[in-house]
Amino acid sequence: MATTSFFADTGDGYVDNDAVAVYSTCRNAATGTGSSSTVTNIDESLVCRAILFGGNYFISRAFFPFDTSALGSGSTVTAAEFNLYIEVTAKFDTNTDSFCVVQTSQASTSSLTTSDFDAVNFTNGGARTIAGFSNANQYWPWTLNGTGLGWVNTTGFTKLGLQSLLDINNSTPTGLNQLTGATYFSDNTGTSKDPYLSVTYTPGASVNSNFLAFM
């Protein structure tokens, strides 16, 4: 058994849909109103949320592609943890919300567009409650559950995201459910604050070359 970490690819970022008067219209839209995959860091309030503010609804969904092909064909993933560096300065939790790891299906692993807003599977692969955050500058981990482990691609890209549990469950927010403070992405210089996925796995069995020659 081995454990290795993979940094997010350059296509990490967020897509949001902002200032929409009807919640179902905001949530079910195929296209968002804004996106970015080129920021070094941005306020967490834009990264993941489902909120009501000023009579309108705002939803943000984050995307984090990881090239996990080095795990290799036949490997068995036994545990995984998604880590995101956030400098938390405040939290708002009107509806007792959580931020959940989800599987995403954006077309590109190097960029995002507003058309990726609906490229999420609305399935909780591992959650962290807003209440569980504190005002601290650190990596915050999400442990993937059994469903989330099934999303780790041992021969290609693993596409993960963050989505509000209210968003996943189609529950209408009645106020603010978000963090404030800087969240760091792969475009940040160096790797000391980059998003990363830690994977524990059993490598696939080695093929005996002599057996292949005999065959």
Side-chain angles (χ1 to χ4, degrees):
M1 190 171 293
T3 300
T4 189
S5 294
F6 303 91
F7 289 110
D9 207 63
T10 56
D12 62 338
Y14 72 93
V15 183
D16 58 12
N17 198 23
D18 289 351
V20 181
V22 178
Y23 183 64
S24 61
T25 302
C26 185
R27 178 182 182 269
N28 299 330
T31 302
T33 54
S35 68
S36 181
S37 57
T38 59
V39 293
T40 58
N41 64 79
I42 198 167
D43 196 288
E44 174 62 20
S45 64
L46 293 176
V47 175
C48 182
R49 64 179 173 179
I51 70 172
L52 173 66
F53 178 73
N56 287 306
Y57 296 98
F58 299 74
I59 292 177
S60 297
R61 299 165 181 170
F63 295 78
F64 303 92
F66 301 92
D67 183 358
T68 48
S69 60
L71 294 171
S73 178
S75 294
T76 301
V77 176
T78 57
E81 186 179 79
F82 167 69
N83 291 269
L84 187 61
Y85 197 98
I86 310 173
E87 297 176 351
V88 181
T89 57
K91 57 186 179 182
F92 303 88
D93 195 18
T94 302
N95 301 113
T96 316
D97 199 8
S98 298
F99 296 154
C100 305
V101 175
V102 296
Q103 187 178 36
T104 64
S105 57
Q106 67 273 27
S108 172
T109 57
S110 58
S111 63
L112 288 169
T113 70
T114 54
S115 62
D116 292 316
F117 181 72
D118 65 347
V120 290
N121 70 350
F122 294 95
T123 300
N124 179 5
R128 172 175 281 279
T129 64
I130 291 179
F133 288 89
S134 59
N135 290 10
N137 304 340
Q138 65 179 61
Y139 272 109
W140 298 92
W142 280 257
T143 299
L144 272 62
N145 59 27
T147 299
L149 293 181
W151 301 334
V152 179
N153 186 349
T154 61
T155 59
F157 272 88
T158 296
K159 297 180 179 180
L160 302 179
L162 282 183
Q163 192 174 359
S164 161
L165 186 60
L166 294 173
D167 185 10
I168 290 174
N169 292 339
N170 195 19
S171 299
T172 304
T174 61
L176 296 180
N177 306 282
Q178 64 187 38
L179 302 177
T180 60
T183 295
Y184 286 79
F185 295 92
S186 65
D187 287 285
N188 184 59
T189 301
T191 56
S192 63
K193 295 181 179 179
D194 284 14
Y196 72 91
L197 179 68
S198 176
V199 181
T200 299
Y201 66 104
T202 301
S206 299
V207 178
N208 189 314
S209 59
N210 292 328
F211 176 77
L212 288 177
F214 175 78
M215 293 295 289

